[in-house]
């Protein structure tokens, strides 16, 4: 039951984020084409220190959660945190170029479930809250991550558009 | 091959006072110990002829990835061997080595065959995985077919060796470099004994996945 609540809550957050993303014309910009200005999502989140902290907190908490951490067994967490931060920086218009593998390559064979995907989303949302990222920016970031679901979750259908 | 027989024939002529029968094999018994005198089981003993001979074994080998582990953990191959990394895991690996004998990195995506890596220099090659930092394997690249692993008592007996001049070495994990070689001369039809000391810890039991 807690699992369902978690999934439901994270899905709602993603749908809202996706809706805002569509409204703001952000979806479909996987390489972070916004100029690196004070208006970029990267800057509004708080730049690299906040992104690094969000990435580190997210991975630490996922790796400590027995419902979510199966695929992290034996992995180099420091490296994952570095690449996740790099990916978020790149996606949000920061001065990074994501150098890791594609989400499909990274997650192939790990049998990630929908519950695990949304579990990570919820943890990341909480990490953003803990680092005082405002609602608008939280939802914009979640909107950027939502399209990854089909590449992360095994046998996943893409996230339905959050128009409703 | 014919060059070696020719050389032996020449020696026979030069040392006419000795009965010199080409091909009477020598035997070498080697005991490998660590610096504290404890026997080192599963160490690699290898005897390299001073005059190099062409490789006699297959020049292909395989190091698999199974359950986030390299299998086998230790490979001994001759120079020029192409090693393939089939990745039996469903997940990807990103393997690499910084060892001077072979610096490389290779992404192994499940279901996508990768190009074999040719190990073209002698030495110790330590392999790791960028993603799964517990993964480790060693490749000992040697220039001789005369190699054996020591048994539980740290002993290896190399038989059917041509008489001649050699350099004897042993290796045991986690040595990142070859040991300095000990020159020796083997007499025909004789059994020699030698003890080598390595700066390595004795393992409690043979590691799973070691090649025979």
């Amino acid at each position: 039951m807690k699992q369902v609540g978690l999934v439901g809550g994270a899905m709602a957050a993603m749908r809202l984020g996706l809706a805002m993303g569509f409204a703001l014309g952000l979806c479909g910009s996987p390489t972070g084409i916004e100029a690196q200005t004070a208006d970029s999502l990267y800057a509004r989140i708080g730049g690299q220190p906040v992104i690094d902290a969000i990435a580190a907190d997210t991975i630490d908490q996922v790796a400590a959660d027995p419902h979510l951490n199966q695929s992290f067994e034996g992995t180099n967490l420091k490296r994952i945190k570095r690449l996740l931060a790099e990916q978020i920086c790149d996606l949000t218009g920061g001065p990074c170029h994501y150098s890791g593998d594609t989400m499909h390559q990274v997650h192939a064979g790990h049998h990630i479930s929908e519950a695990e995907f949304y579990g990570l989303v919820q943890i990341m949302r909480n990490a953003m809250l803990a680092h005082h990222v405002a609602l608008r920016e939280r939802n914009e970031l979640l909107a950027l991550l939502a399209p990854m679901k089909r590449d992360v979750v095994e046998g996943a259908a893409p996230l339905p558009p959050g128009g409703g | 091959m014919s060059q070696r027989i020719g050389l032996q024939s020449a020696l026979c002529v030069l040392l006419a006072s000795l009965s010199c029968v080409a091909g009477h094999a020598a035997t070498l018994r080697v005991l490998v110990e660590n610096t504290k005198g404890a026997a080192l089981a599963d160490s690699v003993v290898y005897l390299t002829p001073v005059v190099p001979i062409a490789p006699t074994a297959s020049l292909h080998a395989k190091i698999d990835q199974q359950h986030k582990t390299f299998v086998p953990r230790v490979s001994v191959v001759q120079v020029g061997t192409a090693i393939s990394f089939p990745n039996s895991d469903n997940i990807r690996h990103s393997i690499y080595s910084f060892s001077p004998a072979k610096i490389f990195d290779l992404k192994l995506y499940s279901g996508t065959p990768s190009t074999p890596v040719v190990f073209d220099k002698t030495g110790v090659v330590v392999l790791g995985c960028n993603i799964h930092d517990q993964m480790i394997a060693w490749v000992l690249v040697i220039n001789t077919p005369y190699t054996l692993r020591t048994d539980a008592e740290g002993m290896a007996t190399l038989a059917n060796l041509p008489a001649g001049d050699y350099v004897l070495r042993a290796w045991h994990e986690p040595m990142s470099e070859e040991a300095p070689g000990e020159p020796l001369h083997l007499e025909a039809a004789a059994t020699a004994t030698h003890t080598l000391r390595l700066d390595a810890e004795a393992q409690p039991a043979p590691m799973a996945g070691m090649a025979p």
Side-chain angles (χ1 to χ4, degrees), chain B residues 41-46 61-64 69-77 83 85 119 123-127 135-142 147-150 170-175 203 205-212:
Chain B
D42 281 314
S43 16
V44 180
V45 171
Y46 54 114
K62 185 176 79 163
I63 301 177
D64 203 357
T69 306
F70 285 110
V71 179
R73 184 178 173 91
V74 175
S75 302
V76 183
V77 302
I83 300 185
F85 300 93
F119 286 72
V124 179
V125 181
V126 187
L127 305 181
M135 286 176 70
I136 191 162
W138 283 271
V139 183
L140 181 59
V141 188
I142 62 180
T147 179
L148 276 182
R149 305 290 177 103
T150 55
W171 176 89
H172 190 282
E173 70 166 88
M175 290 166 64
Q203 302 291 97
M207 304 303 294
M210 276 186 122

Side-chain angles (χ1 to χ4, degrees), chain A residues 70-76 79 99 101 105-106 108-111, chain B residues 68 90-94 107 109-110 129-135:
Chain A
Q70 292 84 345
S71 59
F72 285 88
E73 199 195 314
T75 57
N76 182 342
R79 179 180 172 275
S99 61
D101 286 342
Q105 287 166 337
V106 169
H110 280 283
H111 314 301
Chain B
K68 301 177 189 172
N90 288 327
I91 60 175
R92 88 206 194 287
H93 291 289
S94 174
K107 298 226 173 148
Y109 299 114
S110 186
C129 177
N130 286 307
I131 300 161
H132 308 102
D133 45 353
Q134 308 292 332
M135 286 176 70

Side-chain angles (χ1 to χ4, degrees), chain B:
Chain B
M1 199 62 167
S2 57
Q3 262 188 331
R4 192 152 51 95
I5 290 169
L7 184 63
Q8 286 179 321
S9 302
L11 281 169
C12 288
V13 167
L14 286 170
L15 302 165
S17 56
L18 298 172
S19 74
C20 183
V21 183
H24 261 212
T27 300
L28 177 64
R29 290 170 49 79
V30 182
L31 171 64
V32 182
E33 297 176 331
N34 66 8
T35 51
K36 294 176 194 152
L40 281 175
D42 281 314
S43 16
V44 180
V45 171
Y46 54 114
L47 188 67
T48 307
V50 164
V51 178
I53 59 177
T56 54
S58 159
L59 292 186
H60 295 275
K62 185 176 79 163
I63 301 177
D64 203 357
Q65 294 69 50
Q66 298 171 8
H67 309 296
K68 301 177 189 172
T69 306
F70 285 110
V71 179
R73 184 178 173 91
V74 175
S75 302
V76 183
V77 302
Q78 294 200 63
V79 173
T81 297
I83 300 185
S84 61
F85 300 93
N87 192 10
S88 294
D89 276 343
N90 288 327
I91 60 175
R92 88 206 194 287
H93 291 289
S94 174
I95 67 172
Y96 68 91
S97 177
F98 289 125
S99 302
K102 190 69 195 182
I103 295 172
F104 78 101
D105 59 80
L106 188 63
K107 298 226 173 148
L108 304 173
Y109 299 114
S110 186
T112 308
S114 62
T115 314
V117 177
V118 177
F119 286 72
D120 46 9
K121 285 197 220 160
T122 58
V124 179
V125 181
V126 187
L127 305 181
C129 177
N130 286 307
I131 300 161
H132 308 102
D133 45 353
Q134 308 292 332
M135 286 176 70
I136 191 162
W138 283 271
V139 183
L140 181 59
V141 188
I142 62 180
N143 201 12
T144 175
Y146 307 128
T147 179
L148 276 182
R149 305 290 177 103
T150 55
D151 60 20
E153 281 77 50
M155 288 292 312
T157 301
L158 288 87
N160 300 314
L161 299 167
D165 294 310
Y166 295 90
V167 177
L168 177 65
R169 289 186 179 88
W171 176 89
H172 190 282
E173 70 166 88
M175 290 166 64
S176 58
E177 287 176 357
E178 291 185 89
E182 308 222 1
L184 28 104
H185 178 80
L186 293 181
E187 300 286 346
T191 297
T193 305
H194 209 91
T195 299
L196 292 173
R197 290 218 149 175
L198 296 181
D199 191 3
E201 282 308 302
Q203 302 291 97
M207 304 303 294
M210 276 186 122

